[in-house]
Each structure stands twice: as C-alpha cells, then as structure tokens.
Amino acid sequence: MTVITPRTGRWPAVRPWVGVAARLGLAAVWLLAGASKVGDLAGSGRAVNAYQIFPYDVATVIGAALPFVELALGVLLLLGLATRLSAGVSVALLVVFVAGIVSAWSRGLAIDCGCFGSGGQLAEGQAPSYLPEILRDLGFLALAGFLLIWPRTPFSVDGWLTSEPAVEDEDE
C-alpha cells in the first residue's frame, strides 16, 4: 500500500499553483473591500462604530484607516511581495473581523458588517446575516493561513527577489 504524503504524489507540483490561487483570491478580496470603502471614509468609520466596541473617535479612525490597510494588503498579495507578512496581517485582521461579527451577533445588534461597503445599523425590519459573513471570513482565513504556511508561489516578486523556485525539489 502506497502512502501519499505531502512530499509524494502530486502535492509538491500542485501546491504552488494552489498558492497562486489563494494569493490572487485573497488579493481580490482585499482590493474589493478597500475600494468599496475608500470613497466614503466617514461611512467606514460609522460601520466600525456600529459594532459598539470602541469609543466613537477611535472607531472613526479605525474605519478611516482600514480601507488603506486592505488596499495595501491587496497590492502586496497581487504582486506576491512580502507574502508571508501580508498573510499574517490578513490572518490577524480576519480573526478580528470574525470576533467582531460574533460579538455583534451575541449582543443582539442588527448591523451590516461593512465588509464590502458602508455597513452600519440595519433599517427596521431588516435581519442581519451573521452566519454567512462568518463562514465567508473563515474561508478567507483559510486562504491566508495557507499562504502563511506556504508563501512561495510562482509569478511573485518574492520569488524573483530571492531567485528561489516555487516548486520544491523532491530531494529536500
């Protein structure tokens, strides 16, 4: 019976391409999220404030800075530059986002997460969709976790700068 491990079979050849998909997918998420908020920084601040975790002034500063952090992460991941660092920051942000949504849900708040737009308090009669938002963010967290473990991907600035191949030799 042949046991397939990460070092045998197709995994060493497929893993870098899964990494490219994870890197570009997560880059698209951050670019879309940041772009959807950067035109309305006050709205982004109100969305953060709706979670009722931070004082208003702190929430507005976080809300104003967040789109730029998201855009920076998106650009870095798109280029494949500082991939492990970008993945680590992505993991941290996504854990905070999930915790915030869980906190809002557990406290009975009726808010839109503001993940891809203005967010904030929902209108009377509208129901929040916390579970799909949490599951979506956990999926993004899985992409970031993959890149944290395996940051080297083809077509990345990281690889060009270090001249290291994205596909490992079987003999390592």
Side-chain angles (χ1 to χ4, degrees):
M1 178 174 162
T2 302
V3 176
I4 296 179
T5 67
R7 294 304 237 168
T8 64
R10 294 188 177 129
W11 180 244
V14 172
R15 196 241 356 113
W17 301 104
V18 172
V20 168
R23 184 171 56 84
L24 296 179
L26 196 55
V29 167
W30 288 130
L31 290 170
L32 288 170
S36 70
K37 292 181 271 214
V38 78
D40 183 12
L41 298 180
S44 182
R46 285 189 301 275
V48 173
N49 188 59
Y51 284 87
Q52 300 175 16
I53 295 172
F54 302 105
Y56 178 78
D57 291 339
V58 174
T60 56
V61 169
I62 291 170
L66 187 59
F68 297 103
V69 172
E70 292 170 336
L71 289 170
L73 286 171
V75 169
L76 288 171
L77 288 166
L78 183 65
L79 296 173
L81 180 60
T83 303
R84 181 169 274 145
L85 175 63
S86 300
V89 173
S90 295
V91 165
L93 273 177
L94 288 161
V95 166
V96 168
F97 292 168
V98 169
I101 295 167
V102 168
S103 172
W105 194 3
S106 68
R107 291 180 291 135
L109 300 179
I111 63 173
D112 178 335
C113 75
C115 302
F116 294 95
S118 59
Q121 297 292 330
L122 291 175
E124 188 69 33
Q126 283 186 305
S129 58
Y130 294 130
L131 184 59
E133 291 167 354
I134 291 168
L135 294 175
R136 178 202 59 215
D137 285 355
L138 290 175
F140 298 153
L141 185 59
L143 296 177
F146 184 96
L147 292 171
L148 196 58
I149 297 167
W150 293 293
R152 184 72 66 237
T153 62
F155 309 113
S156 69
V157 173
D158 287 341
W160 292 327
L161 290 175
T162 62
S163 299
E164 292 180 19
V167 179
E168 298 93 11
D169 290 333
E170 294 289 329
D171 299 332
E172 287 182 355

